[in-house]
């Protein structure tokens, strides 16, 4: 579909796409564990099924993102991925045995996980090209998550948990329709006077086959991804067992929906605030702050005794995930060159969702089953504290290299980026 005015339609369709795909995320992440429990699976089996997706996505994210970079298209890849999701979801709706569910879910997750880093990559590119705010596109994912979290909760209360997969099929069909209406961001002749790391890594033409090596052999990138991995372990433990924890405390599907709604809505104002003012602050202190708030959040979760308390704690999602996500994407756009953007976002997703989800689902399920809710969340708290120390240590090292004796004085203001408007988050109305 061609744009009529060449400036607005592509963003609107992408916003609609973001809105719908996060409905699938609500089900796959939050309600599928309840569906597995409905089928009679134990907490350990639920953990294994949750970790299965991240295991598959380690390869699928990198596979599809590198194909996207090589072929220069995101839209066509999206259509293929959603078609695969639809086919496997239909098969999943007919499965009830643990072994068959595991096999079908393996294929479902192969098509499910890559959609999110690719959609973020498309949103970043469109925002940069149009000189608009990335958050003005990405926030529709949060709005969609909030809408579907609440509506699906009430629908499942009325229809029963067994309808989880059927609702997933309906949302995938909606996503597939909006994917047809998307437009690829055409490659442009870019000004090569970007930041130094991009100039050093950018190839003369096309995308090199050694893009992974170009990214992962940078010390700054390795340190960042290491801290992200540790923080993600705690985040994914909470994500995998939040609904199970609430169910254990007596919450119904509608209360679970409210908890997910609160967390999704709470992040929206933070996304906008960081989109407008975040470039005034350095990334690493913000990432350390988000990690510290995760530790506080999990400490509170370890001591809560009723579903209402869990719902209230979900408001901290705004100063945990909301601060972390925007700042992490902004940091990635600074340390990874533009021609490797899709691959870089895929690696971030593999670390944040896949590898961490694999370990947290497998071992988290065992911990939750054997030790209980309180020790489970205290372990997540300790992981968040380690991540906080890692981010702050990197900031301290960078500050020391700049001959700064009192780094606290510079927590407030970040240097103005050197890159031009077409490449920096701040000059593109900021990420």
């Amino acid at each position: 579909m061609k744009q009529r005015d060449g400036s607005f339609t592509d963003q609107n369709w992408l916003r609609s796409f973001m809105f719908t795909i996060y409905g699938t995320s609500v089900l796959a992440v939050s309600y599928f564990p309840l569906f597995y429990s409905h089928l009679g699976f134990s907490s350990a089996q639920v953990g294994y099924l949750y970790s299965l997706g991240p295991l598959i996505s380690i390869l699928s994210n990198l596979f599809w993102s590198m194909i996207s970079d090589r072929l220069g298209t995101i839209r066509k890849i999206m259509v293929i991925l959603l078609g695969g999701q639809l086919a496997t979801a239909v098969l999943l709706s007919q499965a009830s045995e643990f072994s068959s569910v595991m096999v079908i879910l393996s294929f479902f997750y192969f098509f499910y996980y890559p959609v999110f880093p690719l959609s973020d990559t498309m949103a970043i590119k469109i925002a940069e090209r149009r000189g608009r705010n990335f958050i003005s596109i990405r926030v529709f994912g949060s709005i969609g998550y909030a809408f579907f979290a609440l509506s699906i909760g009430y629908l499942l209360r009325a229809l029963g948990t067994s309808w989880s997969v059927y609702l997933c099929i309906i949302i995938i069909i909606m996503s597939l329709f909006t994917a047809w209406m998307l437009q690829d961001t055409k490659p442009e002749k870019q000004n090569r006077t970007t930041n130094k790391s991009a100039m050093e890594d950018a190839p003369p033409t096309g995308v090199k086959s050694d893009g992974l090596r170009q990214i992962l052999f940078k010390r700054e990138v390795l340190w960042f991804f290491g801290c992200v991995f540790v923080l993600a372990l705690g985040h994914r433990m909470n994500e995998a067992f939040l609904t199970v924890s609430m169910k254990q405390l007596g919450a119904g599907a509608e209360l679970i929906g409210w908890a997910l709604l609160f967390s999704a809505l709470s992040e929206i104002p933070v996304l906008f605030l960081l989109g407008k003012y975040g470039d005034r602050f350095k990334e690493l202190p913000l990432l350390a702050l988000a990690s510290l708030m995760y530790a506080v959040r999990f400490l509170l979760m370890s001591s809560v005794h009723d579903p209402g308390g869990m719902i209230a704690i979900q408001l901290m999602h705004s100063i945990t995930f909301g601060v972390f996500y925007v700042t992490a994407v902004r940091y990635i756009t600074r340390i990874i060159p533009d021609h490797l953007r899709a691959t870089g976002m895929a690696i971030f997703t593999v670390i944040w969702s896949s590898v961490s989800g694999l370990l947290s689902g497998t071992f988290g399920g065992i911990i939750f089953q054997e030790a209980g809710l309180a020790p489970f969340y205290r372990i997540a708290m300790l992981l968040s504290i380690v991540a906080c120390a890692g981010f702050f240590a990197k900031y301290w090292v960078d500050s020391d290299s700049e001959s700064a004796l009192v780094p606290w004085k510079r927590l407030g203001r970040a240097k103005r980026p050197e890159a031009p408007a077409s490449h920096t988050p701040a000059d593109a109305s900021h990420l």
Side-chain angles (χ1 to χ4, degrees):
M1 177 179 176
K2 294 183 178 180
Q3 299 177 9
R4 296 178 181 176
D5 59 5
S7 62
F8 193 67
T9 306
D10 56 348
Q11 297 173 77
N12 279 342
W13 281 117
L14 185 54
R15 287 166 179 153
S16 300
F17 182 71
M18 286 280 193
F19 183 90
T20 54
I21 62 172
Y22 276 88
T24 309
S25 178
V26 169
L27 284 159
V29 173
S30 300
Y31 285 104
F32 274 13
L34 294 180
F35 174 67
Y36 305 147
S37 297
H38 170 76
L39 294 178
F41 301 159
S42 67
S43 295
Q45 287 177 316
V46 171
Y48 294 145
L49 290 175
Y50 178 86
S51 63
L52 180 65
L55 173 63
I56 298 299
S57 71
I58 292 173
L59 294 178
S60 66
N61 274 318
L62 297 176
F63 174 77
W64 290 109
S65 64
M66 287 190 289
I67 288 181
S68 174
D69 278 341
R70 185 174 293 274
L71 299 180
T73 176
I74 295 179
R75 174 187 171 275
K76 293 177 182 177
I77 300 299
M78 290 289 198
V79 172
I80 294 173
L81 292 173
L82 290 167
Q85 284 184 34
L86 181 60
T88 51
V90 171
L91 293 175
L92 185 61
S93 67
Q94 305 302 314
S96 58
E97 297 294 327
F98 180 75
S99 57
S100 59
V101 168
M102 177 173 284
V103 172
I104 297 171
L105 270 180
S106 299
F107 289 98
F108 175 82
Y109 285 134
F110 181 76
F111 298 107
Y112 165 78
Y113 273 95
V115 168
F116 298 96
L118 287 175
S119 63
D120 282 347
T121 301
M122 179 176 279
I124 292 170
K125 289 183 176 181
I126 288 180
E128 289 179 343
R129 187 179 65 182
R130 299 298 181 192
R132 294 180 183 270
N133 195 324
F134 162 72
I135 298 302
S136 68
I137 299 175
R138 172 57 179 81
V139 73
F140 278 80
S142 300
I143 295 172
Y145 191 95
F147 171 79
F148 285 109
L150 187 61
S151 59
I152 289 173
Y154 278 98
L155 283 172
L156 291 181
R157 181 188 180 188
L159 301 174
T161 307
S162 60
W163 273 77
S164 298
V165 180
Y166 296 112
L167 293 179
C168 185
I169 291 172
I170 294 172
I171 296 173
I172 292 171
I173 293 174
M174 295 167 58
S175 302
L176 188 57
F177 171 76
T178 54
W180 275 108
M181 313 306 290
L182 295 177
Q183 292 191 9
D184 275 315
T185 53
K186 297 180 180 179
E188 300 175 0
K189 295 181 179 180
Q190 297 180 352
N191 181 357
R192 292 296 177 182
T193 59
T194 58
N195 57 60
K196 293 181 180 180
S197 61
M199 291 177 66
E200 292 170 358
D201 293 330
T205 57
V207 177
K208 285 186 175 181
S209 59
D210 63 346
L212 280 175
R213 184 168 61 84
Q214 291 185 52
I215 294 173
L216 294 179
F217 277 28
K218 298 175 67 174
R219 183 180 303 176
E220 186 177 22
V221 174
L222 286 175
W223 194 316
F224 169 71
F225 282 146
C227 294
V228 166
F229 171 69
V230 175
L231 180 64
L233 288 174
H235 174 86
R236 295 300 164 188
M237 287 171 65
N238 174 66
E239 182 182 72
F241 289 93
L242 173 63
T243 56
V244 177
S245 299
M246 293 190 66
K247 192 75 173 179
Q248 190 179 86
L249 294 178
E254 74 284 357
L255 278 181
I256 292 172
W258 278 104
L260 300 176
L261 173 70
F262 273 39
S263 64
L265 289 180
S266 69
E267 77 180 34
I268 293 175
V270 173
L271 293 179
F272 277 118
L273 287 172
L274 286 177
K276 187 173 183 180
Y277 302 110
D279 60 307
R280 300 181 181 183
F281 302 89
K282 292 187 175 182
E283 294 99 343
L284 290 171
L286 284 177
L287 292 172
L289 174 63
S291 302
L292 181 60
M293 291 299 101
Y294 263 114
V296 175
R297 178 181 179 180
F298 296 147
L299 176 62
L300 294 174
M301 289 289 286
S302 70
S303 59
V304 72
H305 299 291
D306 62 272
M310 282 195 169
I311 293 176
I313 294 171
Q314 295 316 299
L315 290 172
M316 292 191 67
H317 189 74
S318 59
I319 53 176
T320 53
F321 177 77
V323 173
F324 169 81
Y325 175 79
V326 176
T327 310
V329 171
R330 174 179 146 204
Y331 194 65
I332 289 172
T333 60
R334 184 168 69 80
I335 64 177
I336 294 179
D338 182 68
H339 68 280
L340 296 173
R341 183 69 55 75
T343 302
M345 287 298 298
I347 295 173
F348 173 70
T349 303
V350 165
I351 299 296
W352 178 250
S353 299
S354 305
V355 180
S356 60
L358 171 63
L359 294 177
S360 62
T362 302
F363 296 106
I366 297 174
I367 294 170
F368 190 89
Q369 182 170 289
E370 299 298 329
L373 185 147
F376 176 84
Y377 276 106
R378 285 171 189 154
I379 292 174
M381 177 194 69
L382 292 175
L383 291 167
S384 302
I385 292 174
V386 172
C388 175
F391 284 125
F392 188 76
K394 182 64 171 78
Y395 172 71
W396 189 281
V397 169
D398 291 348
S399 298
D400 186 62
S401 66
E402 296 173 3
S403 299
L405 297 178
V406 188
W408 292 100
K409 291 183 179 180
R410 286 189 321 284
L411 283 176
R413 295 291 173 180
K415 291 183 178 180
R416 185 166 290 278
E418 300 175 2
S422 60
H423 292 276
T424 61
D427 290 330
S429 297
H430 187 63
L431 294 181

